[in-house]
Amino acid sequence: MENVALQNLVSSGHVSDPESPRGRLLLKAARLFREKGYERTTVRDLAAAVGIQSGSIFHHFRTKEDILKAVMQETIQLITARMQAAVDIERDPVAQLRALVRCELESVNGETGEAMAVLVYEWRSLSPDNRAEILVMRDHYEGLWLSALEGVKAAGKLETQPSVARRLLTGALSWTSTWYRPDGRMTLDDLTEQVMLMLKLA
Amino acid sequence: MENVALQNLVSSGHVSDPESPRGRLLLKAARLFREKGYERTTVRDLAAAVGIQSGSIFHHFRTKEDILKAVMQETIQLITARMQAAVDIERDPVAQLRALVRCELESVNGETGEAMAVLVYEWRSLSPDNRAEILVMRDHYEGLWLSALEGVKAAGKLETQPSVARRLLTGALSWTSTWYRPDGRMTLDDLTEQVMLMLKLA
DNA sequence: TTACAAACCAAGCGCTTGCTTGGTAGTGTC
DNA sequence: GACACTACCAAGCAAGCGCTTGGTTTGTAA
């Protein structure tokens, strides 16, 4: 199911094939940007990670910043598609919210985790123009969250303002990447449950 | 009251006088590191911000990284003292928790906000040794949170594990610096209230 | 076999970076 | 009035940075 979503995005050209040189470079870039930060990562690091010369990078991307932008764009495309699919399955607002929490935790801590962290924490390294472009894409994603939260509020199960609740959750969930270990005792389902318990919505 | 805490720390040598060249440099450094990130901030930027030559920086600090470290150390000292004072006033666990939330929100979004953001988001730029040093200082700070949360749990008003709750709150609260505007409609008390509402502890 | 584009190499340019060096002005102390 | 100390300047070095250039290999399809 996840692969189908990915394949659709690949064949529609929104996300590059992870087998292609470009796709492989983006995967390595996400990991390095996450580990060392965008600024501390040099094009020589990137080139070494995929086994080419530093100059050859610029056959695939115009500038180093374009690599960062591409990582962010493709990540947003992927997780928005995932999120949409997750929310479409459920009808009950609380169940929708749980699905979103679970899905975002998976995005943050799963395979796309490195890229997600880059998306969240490296936006300062983008030029204003590029930043604006990414923000537009994020709006759709955030829309999914807001309508779910408004549903929960309408059901009388949320006291916080939906927009504030979303922002508090954004921080709480994305921060998990700094402490949560997927290979530890706590599963992603456990973690999801803890979040819902915090909201007293379990 | 706040100034007394600051003065104590200054006279004990734990925090440098904001009037001194060193102190002024640290203030500007915190702002620049926050705005542009540590890596994107050059020693020439720092020097220009306090009106001296770039080389003169190294009369006050051995390396650029030492500046980052000092910003973090002094910030931790300051907010721990504040936090301790806030928690000492209250007896009821929920009231203690509210005080901590309020205090951390103030640290994140008030005068020390820039330095706090640096503390939270720029630790990757520290060498492993320096990182370890900062982590030790953070443990005491986190201890205050944990005992308060355990108190709330013992009172039957918290279902999440205290350690998990703290981490979720860390993310939620520190993330406010990216979206909350102290000069907007919502006051810090309002924001504190929204957080407590999210936890259904208002 | 030829044609051609995609993928890459080897070399290095121009610039910025953190940091060093040797020296100077101002201030307080005995 | 000699000494010491803090705070700074002016100049620049060595290393590393993003990126360019001209040319070579490799895969594909006519």
Side-chain angles (χ1 to χ4, degrees), chain B residues 95-134:
Chain B
Q96 280 190 336
L97 182 63
R98 173 182 274 109
L100 287 176
V101 168
R102 165 73 214 224
C103 193
E104 188 154 298
L105 283 172
E106 206 167 312
S107 294
V108 166
N109 297 290
E111 275 183 73
T112 46
E114 282 141 3
M116 270 296 272
V118 171
L119 180 58
V120 174
Y121 296 117
E122 300 286 346
W123 53 271
R124 262 181 328 193
S125 295
L126 285 180
S127 72
D129 282 359
N130 283 336
R131 213 177 290 180
E133 252 185 89
I134 298 290

Side-chain angles (χ1 to χ4, degrees), chain B residues 83-95:
Chain B
M83 211 66 122
Q84 184 70 257
V87 97
D88 283 348
I89 295 175
E90 306 288 347
R91 276 225 138 309
D92 172 51
V94 173

Side-chain angles (χ1 to χ4, degrees), chain A residues 34 39-40 124 194, chain B residues 34 39-40 122 124 160:
Chain A
R34 162 88 176 109
E39 300 290 342
R40 276 185 114 86
R124 262 179 328 191
Q194 292 284 317
Chain B
R34 161 90 175 106
E39 300 290 343
R40 278 186 113 89
E122 300 286 346
R124 262 181 328 193
T160 324

Side-chain angles (χ1 to χ4, degrees), chain B residues 61-76:
Chain B
F61 295 92
R62 272 183 44 258
T63 64
K64 182 189 170 192
E65 190 179 327
D66 272 2
I67 304 177
L68 177 61
K69 186 181 167 187
V71 168
M72 291 182 167
Q73 279 179 326
E74 304 210 349
T75 307
I76 269 204

Side-chain angles (χ1 to χ4, degrees), chain A residues 10-30:
Chain A
V10 168
S11 55
S12 70
H14 286 115
V15 166
S16 38
D17 184 356
E19 308 283 329
S20 72
R22 182 188 158 99
R24 262 183 294 120
L25 180 58
L26 286 178
L27 283 176
K28 296 285 191 183

Side-chain angles (χ1 to χ4, degrees), chain B residues 8-10 17 42 47 61-62 68 76 79 89 113 152 172 178 184 188 195 199:
Chain B
N8 282 341
L9 289 168
V10 168
D17 185 356
T42 70
F61 295 92
R62 272 183 44 258
L68 177 61
I76 269 204
I79 64 170
I89 295 175
V152 178
T178 65
L188 268 184
V195 173
L199 304 172

Side-chain angles (χ1 to χ4, degrees), chain B residues 73 76 80 129-143:
Chain B
Q73 279 179 326
I76 269 204
T80 304
D129 282 359
N130 283 336
R131 213 177 290 180
E133 252 185 89
I134 298 290
L135 276 178
V136 169
M137 302 180 73
R138 210 188 57 177
D139 281 349
H140 179 216
Y141 181 85
E142 292 300 323

